[in-house]
C-alpha cells in the first residue's frame, strides 16, 4: 500500500507518499523519518537483546495527524534503521478505534509488552498489547482499556501518554494529565500485573498561573511524562501543552520517594521549544540514558501534504548529569560513523564580523568548534547560506559583560518563504571564567540540531533555494579566539529509493 488513500486519483498530490517524500529537498537524510506520511512522538524506546527499538506515532495514509498507528524501526548502532512491520493499527471497534496513541515498552517477565493510549472519540485510556519474542508482532489485550476512567472527582484537561516501570514487586505508571484551574500533572498508578491498576494520586502538580507566556511555563497539561534516575538525581521530563497547542519540553530535577516527587529546580530541556517535543528516553545495555524527541514541522499543512511526509525524529542523545545539577546533552557518539570528507579551519583570532568558508559547504554537515569568548564578545556560525546571502541561518553564542552566556539561533533570513516559521530561538549558555564554548552543529537539510556546552537547541529551516543554500561562514564581534574548527560531510543513513509504507 504505497499510495495516498486520502486523495482522489488524478490530483496533483495523489502520487505515492514515499516517492514524493524521497524527492523533497527538505527531507533529512541521516535523521530518522518515516517512509512517508505522518510521524510524531517517539514511543516504546528500548534496547532489547542488543537491538535498539524505536516505535513512533505514524499515519501511513497521509501527512496528517489522524487515526495514528505505531510505526516501528530497529537498529544495532543508533544510526542505520530498518523498517519493521507496523506494530499497532487502530481497531475497527474498541477503545483504540480512533488511534493508538503514545506509550512505552516494558519487559513483563520476558514478554515484551506495550502500554499505550487508545483513543475513541474524546476518550483516551490506557491499553496493553503483548509482543512476539522479536517484537515484530503484537496482540492487543482483550481487557483493554486497562484503566476504564480517569481519577474520579478530578476535573482533568486531558489523560494520555505513559511512563511505566517495575518497582519492587509491583508495576508503577504515570499518566500525563492536568487538573483544570490548577496545572499540569502526572497521575500515579500501581499494579501487580499491568492489567488491574490502583490509583495512588498526583505525583506532582504544576501551577499554570505562574509564568504564562514564558519559555518555562508548565502549561495546563503534561504530555509524555518520563521519570528516571541519572547519576544519583531524579528527573521528571514532560512537554507543556495547553488547549491543543504544543509548547515546549521541560524537566524537573528533584527527589522521587514514596508516592511523590519533590522538585528542586525546573529546566528547559531544549531551547527549540516545540521543535524538540514529546521526548522519550531509555537506559540502554551500556548503561547510557538515550533520548529521542519529535522535530515538528515549521511549514504549512498544505506544504506537508504536497511533500508527502511530515515529522522528523531527533538524533539520539546521550544524557548525563552536569556539574550544576542539570542535564548535559550530546549526540550519541555512534553518529560519527557517517562522517566523510573532513575540513579543518586554522585556529586564531576571529578578526572579522563575517568570513565565508569556501572549503566548507553542504546541506548534510557535522561541525565541531571550540571558541573562547572575551567579555562582551559574540561569535557567529552561519549555515545554509545562498551565494548572495539572501537566505542564511545564524548560530550565535555570546558572553555579556557580567559573564552570562547566551545561545541564540537567528532564522529571520533562513527562508524567503513568508509562510514558514522563522522566529528566533535562544537560551542561557553556561560559561566558565575562561569563556570556553564547545559548539557542535548538525545540519541535515531542514533539520538543525545545536549543542553548546551541553545545552541543546533544535529547529527547522526551509530555504527556498535549497540547492544553493549550502554556504558556511564564521565571524565575531569583540575578543573571540577560534581554537578548533572541524567540519565533515555526512553520509545518508538510508539506502536509495522509496521505503515501504507498510513493511
Amino acid at each position: 500500500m504505497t499510495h495516498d488513500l486520502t486523495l482522489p486519483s488524478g490530483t496533483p498530490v495523489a502520487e505515492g507518499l514515499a516517492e514524493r517524500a524521497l524527492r523533497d529537498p527538505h527531507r533529512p537524510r541521516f535523521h530518522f523519518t518515516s517512509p512517508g506520511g505522518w510521524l510524531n512522538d517517539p514511543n516504546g524506546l528500548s534496547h532489547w537483546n542488543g537491538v535498539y527499538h524505536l516505535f513512533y506515532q505514524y499515519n501511513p495514509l497521509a501527512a496528517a495527524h489522524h487515526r495514528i498507528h505505531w510505526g516501528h524501526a530497529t537498529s544495532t548502532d543508533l544510526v542505520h534503521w530498518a523498517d519493521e512491520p507496523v506494530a499497532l493499527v487502530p481497531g475497527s471497534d474498541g477503545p483504540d478505534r480512533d488511534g493508538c496513541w503514545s506509550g512505552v515498552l516494558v519487559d513483563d517477565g520476558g514478554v515484551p509488552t506495550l502500554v499505550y493510549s487508545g483513543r475513541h472519540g474524546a476518550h483516551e485510556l490506557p491499553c496493553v498489547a503483548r509482543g512476539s519474542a522479536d517484537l515484530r508482532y503484537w496482540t492487543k489485550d482483550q481487557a483493554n482499556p486497562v484503566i476504564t476512567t480517569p481519577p474520579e472527582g478530578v476535573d482533568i484537561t486531558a489523560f494520555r501518554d505513559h511512563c511505566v516501570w517495575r518497582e519492587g514487586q509491583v508495576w508503577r505508571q504515570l499518566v500525563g494529565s492536568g487538573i483544570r484551574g490548577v496545572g499540569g500533572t502526572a497521575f500515579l498508578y500501581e499494579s501487580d500485573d499491568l492489567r488491574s491498576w490502583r490509583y495512588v494520586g498526583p505525583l506532582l502538580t504544576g501551577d499554570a498561573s505562574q509564568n504564562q507566556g514564558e519559555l518555562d511555563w508548565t502549561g495546563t497539561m503534561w504530555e509524555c511524562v518520563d521519570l528516571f534516575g541519572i547519576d544519583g538525581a531524579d528527573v521528571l521530563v514532560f512537554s507543556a501543552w495547553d488547549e491543543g497547542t504544543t509548547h515546549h519540553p521541560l524537566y524537573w530535577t528533584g527527589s522521587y520517594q514514596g508516592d511523590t516527587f519533590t522538585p528542586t529546580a525546573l529546566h528547559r530541556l531544549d531551547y527549540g521549544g516545540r521543535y524538540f517535543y514529546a521526548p522519550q528516553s531509555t537506559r540502554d545495555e551500556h548503561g547510557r540514558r538515550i533520548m529521542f524527541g519529535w522535530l515538528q514541522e515549521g511549514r504549512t499543512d498544505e506544504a506537508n501534504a504536497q511533500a508527502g511526509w511530515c515529522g522528523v525524529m531527533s538524533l539520539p542523545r546521550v544524557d548525563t548529569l552536569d556539574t550544576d545539577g542539570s542535564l548535559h546533552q550530546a549526540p550519541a557518539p555512534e553518529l560519527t560513523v557517517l562522517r566523510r570528507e573532513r575540513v579543518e579551519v586554522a585556529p586564531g583570532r576571529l578578526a572579522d564580523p563575517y568570513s565565508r568558508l569556501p572549503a566548507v559547504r553542504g546541506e548534510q554537515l557535522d561541525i565541531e568548534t571550540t571558541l573562547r569568548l572575551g567579555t562582551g564578545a559574540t561569535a557567529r556560525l552561519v549555515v545554509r547560506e545562498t551565494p548572495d546571502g539572501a537566505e542564511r541561518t545564524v548560530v550565535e553564542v555570546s558572553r555579556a559583560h557580567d559573564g552570562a552566556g547566551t545561545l541564540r539561533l537567528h532564522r529571520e533570513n533562513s527562508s524567503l518563504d513568508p509562510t514558514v516559521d522563522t522566529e528566533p530561538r535562544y537560551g542561557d549558555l553556561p560559561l566558565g571564567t575562561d569563556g570556553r564554548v564547545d559548539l557542535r552543529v548538525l545540519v541535515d537539510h531542514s533539520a538543525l540540531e545545536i549543542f553548546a556546552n551541553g545545552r541543546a537547541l533544535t529547529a527547522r529551516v526551509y530555504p527556498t533555494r535549497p540547492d544553493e543554500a549550502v554556504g558556511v561562514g564564521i565571524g565575531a564581534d569583540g575578543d573571540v579566539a577560534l581554537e578548533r574548527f572541524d567540519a565533515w560531510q555526512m553520509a545518508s543513513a538510508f539506502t536509495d529509493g522509496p521505503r515501504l509504507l507498510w513493511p
Side-chain angles (χ1 to χ4, degrees):
M1 188 179 299
T2 59
H3 58 288
D4 188 339
L5 300 181
T6 66
L7 295 166
S9 61
T11 62
V13 293
E15 186 187 348
L17 292 172
E19 289 78 8
R20 297 207 311 272
L22 190 66
R23 290 199 305 270
D24 183 9
H26 296 304
R27 183 174 170 86
R29 302 300 194 268
F30 61 89
H31 284 70
F32 180 83
T33 54
S34 63
W38 171 277
L39 170 150
N40 64 297
D41 308 359
N43 293 156
L45 185 61
S46 60
H47 196 201
W48 189 284
N49 294 332
V51 177
Y52 291 96
H53 291 263
L54 173 65
F55 300 84
Y56 56 93
Q57 299 280 273
Y58 180 40
N59 182 359
L61 303 180
H65 188 251
H66 176 68
R67 212 160 181 269
I68 294 297
H69 301 51
W70 270 42
H72 182 198
T74 56
S75 175
T76 57
D77 64 359
L78 285 173
V79 178
H80 301 91
W81 295 90
D83 295 310
E84 302 289 353
V86 173
L88 295 176
V89 177
S92 56
D93 54 19
D96 64 5
R97 69 186 70 178
D98 293 323
C100 302
W101 284 22
S102 292
V104 295
L105 184 151
V106 296
D107 182 349
D108 184 14
V111 178
T113 303
L114 301 179
V115 181
Y116 67 98
S117 290
R119 182 175 177 86
H120 173 206
H123 300 287
E124 301 155 349
L125 295 170
C127 296
V128 169
R130 293 166 64 90
S132 58
D134 60 4
L135 280 65
R136 301 186 81 207
Y137 304 103
W138 299 86
T139 302
K140 298 174 186 176
D141 199 291
Q142 293 296 316
N144 287 338
V146 295
I147 298 176
T148 57
T149 61
E152 293 184 4
V154 183
D155 187 6
I156 63 168
T157 54
F159 186 75
R160 59 175 174 266
D161 309 334
H162 312 275
C163 176
V164 182
W165 69 97
R166 189 78 174 174
E167 190 171 312
Q169 299 301 309
V170 299
W171 291 99
R172 296 202 122 187
Q173 173 178 192
L174 294 177
V175 182
S177 189
I179 302 173
R180 197 172 304 279
V182 181
T185 192
F187 289 128
L188 178 62
Y189 287 81
E190 200 167 73
S191 173
D192 299 319
D193 60 1
L194 292 174
R195 273 74 180 171
S196 299
W197 291 92
R198 301 177 294 276
Y199 174 55
V200 178
L203 181 76
L204 177 68
T205 301
D207 185 351
S209 68
Q210 297 293 315
N211 299 334
Q212 189 164 2
E214 300 297 322
L215 298 175
D216 61 354
W217 182 51
T218 57
T220 60
M221 186 262 176
W222 292 353
E223 293 196 290
C224 299
V225 290
D226 188 12
L227 174 67
F228 56 86
I230 186 167
D231 300 331
D234 293 320
V235 176
L236 180 63
V237 177
F238 64 96
S239 291
W241 177 95
D242 176 55
E243 298 296 336
T245 298
T246 56
H247 283 269
H248 40 247
L250 302 169
Y251 67 97
W252 295 98
T253 50
S255 175
Y256 164 60
Q257 289 184 325
D259 300 335
T260 61
F261 183 95
T262 303
T264 56
L266 179 67
H267 311 262
R268 296 172 64 193
L269 183 65
D270 189 292
Y271 296 155
R274 69 180 183 87
Y275 290 112
F276 184 86
Y277 195 81
Q280 188 173 105
S281 71
T282 189
R283 186 178 175 88
D284 73 4
E285 294 172 5
H286 309 298
R288 303 180 300 177
R289 176 59 53 176
I290 304 293
M291 179 179 285
F292 284 83
W294 165 38
L295 278 61
Q296 299 187 36
E297 298 293 334
R299 56 184 177 179
T300 64
D301 293 343
E302 292 76 15
N304 296 330
Q306 290 287 339
W309 70 282
C310 181
V312 178
M313 201 63 65
S314 76
L315 297 172
R317 299 180 180 183
V318 178
D319 288 354
T320 55
L321 196 66
D322 214 335
T323 55
D324 64 357
S326 65
L327 289 179
H328 181 285
Q329 300 182 74
E334 288 90 334
L335 292 164
T336 59
V337 73
L338 295 177
R339 288 174 172 176
R340 295 297 182 263
E341 300 85 0
R342 172 177 172 265
V343 175
E344 181 181 7
V345 175
R349 295 284 169 184
L350 294 179
D352 299 320
Y354 181 67
S355 298
R356 186 166 289 175
L357 302 174
V360 185
R361 295 168 54 82
E363 68 281 349
Q364 291 178 214
L365 295 170
D366 186 357
I367 300 171
E368 287 190 354
T369 182
T370 298
L371 302 157
R372 299 272 182 179
L373 304 180
T375 301
T378 297
R380 286 177 292 274
L381 173 65
V382 176
V383 297
R384 300 306 314 265
E385 184 176 32
T386 54
D388 61 1
E391 293 183 316
R392 62 205 304 258
T393 298
V394 183
V395 180
E396 182 180 281
V397 290
S398 60
R399 183 184 185 190
H401 288 283
D402 63 1
T406 302
L407 169 64
R408 188 178 298 270
L409 177 66
H410 291 281
R411 298 185 300 156
E412 299 91 327
N413 297 312
S414 64
S415 178
L416 297 177
D417 181 351
T419 69
V420 304
D421 174 37
T422 58
E423 288 188 1
R425 295 289 192 269
Y426 59 90
D428 295 336
L429 178 64
L431 291 175
T433 56
D434 60 356
R436 175 178 173 135
V437 179
D438 290 311
L439 178 65
R440 186 169 179 184
V441 178
L442 294 117
V443 179
D444 191 4
H445 297 265
S446 64
L448 185 65
E449 295 197 55
I450 302 162
F451 299 86
N453 290 357
R455 301 297 190 264
L457 193 162
T458 305
R460 306 294 298 279
V461 295
Y462 305 90
T464 60
R465 292 180 283 161
D467 293 340
E468 296 180 46
V470 295
V472 175
I474 196 167
D477 295 325
D479 179 17
V480 177
L482 178 68
E483 296 193 349
R484 174 198 173 205
F485 188 106
D486 294 294
W488 294 265
Q489 298 291 327
M490 293 290 277
S492 172
F494 296 92
T495 57
D496 294 335
R499 294 149 57 198
L500 294 176
L501 294 171
W502 294 87

